[in-house]
Amino acid sequence: MTEAEDRKPRSDEARSAFVPPAGTGVDGDMSTTSEFAIPEGLALHRPAGADSDTTSEFAVPHGLDVQAAPSAEQEGSAFTPPSTYSSKHAPSAFTPPSGIPVVSLTKDVPWQDRMRTMLRMPVAERPAPEPTQRGTDDSGPAVPRVLDLTLRIGELLLAGGEGAEDVEAAMFAVCRSYGLDRCEPNVTFTLLAISYQPSLVDDPVTASRTVRRRGTDYTRLAAVYQLVDDLSDDETAVSLEEAYRRLAEIRRNRHPYPGWALTGASGLLAGAASVLVGGDLIVFVAAALGAMLGDRLAWLCAGRGLPEFYQFTVAAMPPAAIGVALTIGHVDVKASAVITGGLFALLPGRALVAGVQDGLTGFYITASARLLEVMYFFVGIVAGVLLVLYFGVQLGARLNPDQALGASDDPVMMIGASMLLSLAFAVLLQQDRSTVMWVTLNGGVAWVVYGAMHYVGDISPVASTAAAAGLVGLFGQLLSRYQFASALPYTTAAIGPLLPGSATYFGLLAIAQNEVDEGLVSLSKAVALAMAIAIGVNLGSEISRMFLRIGSAEKRRAAKRTRGF
């Protein structure tokens, strides 16, 4: 067999391997088939209504019955309870991987410290409150009413000038006293909000309240603190109805001092401040008259609905006008001391201390708003004084700033003037009569420290002011802990003698006499003194909280038993 004949049968065999199977076209349109093609004669069951021969690998095989899930809710939210969850048989609490730190919340410290400690902790690490329901049945507390009571108490505290952290601590204490532990209060300059979530699977309840009007009444502030203290005490059962009744009485209470007493207090404050900067009896009377006239004008503007900016502007004009008139009339008095004394009654020391305190405790939005409010008040005072000083200079008044620089050589008179200033400031703040004596003594101690450091020790006024303000904050915090009350009534009026009234006046006078550089330097000194006051008060308060323990639970229980509780 030849080689050609030997290759021919092999070609035929090769062609036979590619013969198309039955069912393909004879014309050879498809000469090859896929290896996944269904062989001829093999019948497969195809489901009814199937659109495609291919199925997903996740499809349920035919003939396997699977129970369908209940279609009560197709898409669940983050607050929808799982199908296996039961409120009657709730799972036990879990322990975080990092562990739960040991929290020491003894009852020997005031409720402010305990609530502040828990507010600075994460929500999951806060200890649960004791299972005590005040005035509620077994179904639990009335959450909306508790939140409303909490917001109303926080509104009075914030409107009274209390710091944001102290307001949050009071709101948190009210909620925990009625068993609401998973609550988050939030305080800004004009808005109060609180959110309560019973558990991780329940919908939260949120309420808010806006603070539109602010007033200065430390008697009302002390009464609110007394209410919160009674709510936080385990031995005092105060129901929701009783708490609402006491809160309504606090809101209806009239101010402890009439209008004529407030006007007289503003005059005494200005006169005492003028003595601190070297004034005599004539200067005292002139400064008092100017401050009382400015106070009445401010009341008139307030009755007409003018904003506080214009009230401060109008109130700053009469003292400056009296000082300029004495200078033009060639009266042998220190006119600069008259104007400086009038400025003391207008400087917003309370708002300044509260603003700096909010910034130091981390409430930057509220601190910015408070400091912006202080700046507007200060600009109003500047506008009123500059307007009068400008016309006085044009009329030929020769105001000498060096006249007010010399302080009196009699330390007893200086201490007496500082105590009188603190007393008048306390009356202006509508403080309770029982706290006036303490804040007066605190103001005298502050001036003794300042005078000893600045006049005797020749230390810079900023450092002396900071040290004296720190002592004021320390004593104020001790007194508030001993009385189980707010620290504001014991500190705000005591810093009155330290306010930078003379530095403010010197800066304004220099600007009015076209000495802008010297004026800006003096105003910068005033700002530094104001910041030293605020930081010193806050530092003294924090030191007393960290290292001192005044006021025990045993003493508080004994005090309540003597009152019949």
Side-chain angles (χ1 to χ4, degrees):
M1 182 181 296
T2 63
E3 184 178 355
E5 292 176 351
D6 189 33
R7 287 198 301 269
K8 185 175 182 181
R10 296 176 182 174
S11 307
D12 296 336
E13 294 176 1
R15 285 195 301 270
S16 65
F18 295 97
V19 174
T24 58
V26 182
D27 298 335
D29 295 339
M30 183 190 299
S31 59
T32 60
T33 59
S34 171
E35 59 182 358
F36 299 103
I38 302 175
E40 183 181 6
L42 181 59
L44 295 180
H45 177 73
R46 175 177 297 178
D51 297 335
S52 175
D53 291 338
T54 60
T55 59
S56 171
E57 59 183 0
F58 301 104
V60 180
H62 178 70
L64 181 61
D65 296 332
V66 180
Q67 184 179 1
S71 58
E73 184 176 353
Q74 298 297 331
E75 295 183 1
S77 64
F79 303 103
T80 303
S83 59
T84 58
Y85 177 80
S86 176
S87 58
K88 296 182 179 180
H89 305 285
S92 57
F94 64 92
T95 302
S98 59
I100 299 178
V102 179
V103 182
S104 177
L105 295 176
T106 62
K107 297 182 180 180
D108 296 336
V109 297
W111 61 266
Q112 296 96 322
D113 292 349
R114 290 186 280 116
M115 297 302 108
R116 188 179 292 106
T117 301
M118 283 188 288
L119 280 175
R120 295 175 180 178
M121 295 170 55
V123 180
E125 299 177 3
R126 294 174 184 169
E130 297 180 1
T132 57
Q133 305 295 338
R134 305 172 188 267
T136 56
D137 51 11
D138 297 336
S139 61
V143 175
R145 296 196 66 196
V146 172
L147 297 184
D148 179 71
L149 176 67
T150 303
L151 290 174
R152 291 178 183 273
I153 290 177
E155 178 188 11
L156 289 180
L157 292 177
L158 186 63
E162 193 62 80
E165 188 178 32
D166 294 328
V167 176
E168 284 195 358
M171 295 172 64
F172 194 70
V174 174
C175 287
R176 287 183 65 89
S177 64
Y178 290 102
L180 307 184
D181 58 330
R182 301 181 63 89
C183 60
E184 283 294 333
N186 186 18
V187 176
T188 58
F189 185 61
T190 57
L191 181 65
L192 294 167
I194 187 168
S195 177
Y196 169 69
Q197 187 175 359
S199 64
L200 296 177
V201 295
D202 292 327
D203 296 337
V205 180
T206 303
S208 62
R209 196 172 183 87
T210 302
V211 178
R212 303 187 184 277
R213 297 186 60 185
R214 301 177 184 275
T216 303
D217 191 346
Y218 281 4
T219 301
R220 179 180 297 175
L221 187 69
V224 175
Y225 256 78
Q226 182 65 47
L227 175 59
V228 177
D229 184 47
D230 291 340
L231 290 175
S232 304
D233 192 3
D234 297 334
E235 294 187 354
T236 306
V238 181
S239 62
L240 278 173
E241 290 73 15
E242 177 67 15
Y244 268 107
R245 185 191 64 80
R246 292 180 56 178
L247 189 63
E249 291 180 354
I250 293 173
R251 298 179 69 95
R252 288 195 302 264
N253 282 344
R254 299 182 62 182
H255 299 306
Y257 305 103
W260 62 266
L262 299 180
T263 302
S266 64
L268 289 178
L269 192 153
S274 65
V275 173
L276 288 179
V277 292
D280 52 9
L281 181 60
I282 299 178
V283 171
F284 180 93
V285 175
L289 291 177
M292 288 189 291
L293 182 58
D295 181 77
R296 287 293 92 190
L297 290 177
W299 276 92
L300 181 62
C301 294
R304 296 295 185 270
L306 289 178
E308 288 185 297
F309 175 84
Y310 301 104
Q311 297 177 25
F312 274 83
T313 302
V314 172
M317 289 183 177
I322 292 179
V324 171
L326 291 176
T327 303
I328 296 177
H330 302 287
V331 180
D332 189 14
V333 295
K334 296 182 179 179
S336 299
V338 176
I339 302 176
T340 300
L343 291 179
F344 263 87
L346 300 175
L347 294 178
R350 173 181 57 89
L352 175 66
V353 173
V356 175
Q357 181 181 357
D358 289 340
L360 295 176
T361 53
F363 294 84
Y364 301 113
I365 297 178
T366 308
S368 301
R370 289 186 188 271
L371 294 178
L372 185 62
E373 180 188 36
V374 171
M375 187 192 72
Y376 271 100
F377 292 163
F378 190 76
V379 170
I381 297 172
V382 168
V385 175
L386 278 181
L387 185 63
V388 175
L389 291 181
Y390 176 78
F391 283 105
V393 171
Q394 297 299 322
L395 293 175
R398 294 293 180 263
L399 296 171
N400 185 10
D402 296 334
Q403 290 180 347
L405 290 176
S408 176
D409 296 333
D410 189 0
V412 177
M413 186 177 65
M414 300 289 287
I415 296 174
S418 65
M419 296 178 66
L420 180 61
L421 193 151
S422 299
L423 173 65
F425 205 172
V427 174
L428 284 176
L429 294 175
Q430 301 280 0
Q431 290 190 197
D432 188 74
R433 292 179 174 86
S434 61
T435 63
V436 172
M437 181 188 67
W438 295 107
V439 73
T440 302
L441 294 176
N442 200 7
V445 172
W447 183 258
V448 168
V449 174
Y450 173 79
M453 295 181 63
H454 179 57
Y455 296 112
V456 179
D458 199 16
I459 302 176
S460 67
V462 176
S464 303
T465 301
L471 198 61
V472 167
L474 179 62
F475 285 170
Q477 194 64 229
L478 294 180
L479 291 172
S480 67
R481 287 168 177 267
Y482 185 78
Q483 299 292 336
F484 290 89
S486 172
L488 285 181
Y490 301 99
T491 57
T492 305
I495 65 173
L498 305 176
L499 292 176
S502 58
T504 304
Y505 165 68
F506 294 156
L508 299 180
L509 180 59
I511 294 177
Q513 294 178 348
N514 293 327
E515 298 176 358
V516 180
D517 294 338
E518 295 181 4
L520 293 179
V521 171
S522 185
L523 290 179
S524 300
K525 179 183 177 181
V527 172
L529 291 174
M531 295 296 293
I533 292 173
I535 294 176
V537 170
N538 182 262
L539 182 60
S541 301
E542 293 296 332
I543 289 176
S544 64
R545 290 169 183 163
M546 291 173 60
F547 300 105
L548 300 179
R549 289 289 180 263
I550 301 296
S552 61
E554 289 77 11
K555 178 182 181 302
R556 187 58 173 168
R557 296 191 188 100
K560 286 184 177 297
R561 283 195 296 269
T562 56
R563 294 206 309 265
F565 286 95

